[in-house]
Amino acid sequence: MNKENIHSVWLNLAGHLCTEQTFGVGGISYGTHRMISKVLFEQISDDDWRKETWIAPEDAGKAPGTKYHTLFTDENFKKVPAYVHLKFKPKEGNMIDANVGAPIDNLLMRVEEMYLIKAEAEAMGGNLSGGKSTLENFVRTYRDPSFTSKANSAQDFQDEVWLQRRMELWGEGFSLFDILRLKKPVIRKNTNYDPS
């Protein structure tokens, strides 16, 4: 990539997506943070390590302590509101220099998505127990050791996988396709969504 192209905050993914940077429009300098829905955040188990990739309401305005893996100083962390993500990082942890921090990989598919696709396909293809086994093995091994599928039907299981997809693939550009594919509503009422 030509380094001259990275200087623009509009031409790089990290400048839009990474909270912990000062060279783009999505970071602390502009205050245009990407946030998880309060409703989705509350559905994530406290045993699931993914919950720590967003700032919990009780931690907003405080020093991060050891709970969060952040590039922010204590003072900068205190300025970031609840539900803001810490999932995506600038390259090499460089928050300031767009030439170093901006050229991050834009993944098209991760192996985690493949596990979720496999689990859903097994259940929707008539093998509910196989789908549940695939999902439980993945989530327990890599995300939440206390996870157990509670689905009693293929439709219930598909909803469980959708929830896992929402947690796992948050911010990666999949939600609209899942909403359309599964004919799910977009609900913003009674969440932390600010329409202004």
Side-chain angles (χ1 to χ4, degrees), residues 17-184:
L17 198 55
C18 299
T19 300
E20 300 161 289
Q21 48 81 11
T22 59
F23 54 79
V25 295
I28 193 167
S29 301
Y30 286 86
T32 54
H33 309 296
R34 298 187 191 278
M35 305 165 106
I36 190 171
S37 158
K38 173 185 170 188
V39 174
L40 177 57
F41 182 82
E42 290 172 353
Q43 289 178 292
I44 304 172
S45 163
D46 289 339
D47 295 334
D48 193 322
W49 71 264
R50 291 174 292 193
K51 196 164 194 171
E52 295 176 11
T53 60
W54 294 279
I55 299 172
E58 62 270 15
D59 296 328
K62 301 176 185 173
T66 58
K67 179 178 178 182
Y68 298 97
H69 303 284
T70 180
L71 302 171
F72 284 137
T73 63
D74 287 356
E75 287 309 306
N76 280 340
F77 188 90
K78 290 177 187 179
K79 297 175 189 173
V80 183
Y83 305 113
V84 168
H85 82 89
L86 301 171
K87 179 178 179 179
F88 305 103
K89 309 282 186 187
K91 185 178 178 189
E92 296 178 11
N94 193 309
M95 297 175 61
I96 299 165
D97 186 355
N99 287 316
V100 177
I104 61 173
D105 292 331
N106 185 4
L107 300 175
L108 299 179
M109 180 174 256
R110 295 190 289 126
V111 70
E112 294 85 353
E113 184 186 6
M114 295 177 206
Y115 281 115
L116 296 171
I117 290 170
K118 180 179 188 247
E120 183 179 350
E122 286 173 331
M124 299 311 286
N127 184 5
L128 180 59
S129 63
K132 287 174 78 164
S133 177
T134 298
L135 184 64
E136 287 175 348
N137 288 337
F138 165 68
V139 176
R140 284 182 190 161
T141 303
Y142 301 106
R143 303 297 183 252
D144 177 1
S146 65
F147 175 78
T148 301
S149 172
K150 295 173 182 63
N152 294 318
S153 69
Q155 184 58 54
D156 288 345
F157 184 76
Q158 190 176 51
D159 288 340
E160 253 182 7
V161 171
W162 181 50
L163 177 60
Q164 290 296 323
R165 286 180 61 84
R166 292 176 68 205
M167 293 186 293
E168 183 67 35
L169 304 172
W170 180 92
E172 297 181 37
F174 293 96
S175 61
L176 177 62
F177 298 109
D178 284 344
I179 287 167
L180 293 172
R181 176 176 66 90
L182 300 172
K183 296 178 177 48
K184 298 292 184 183

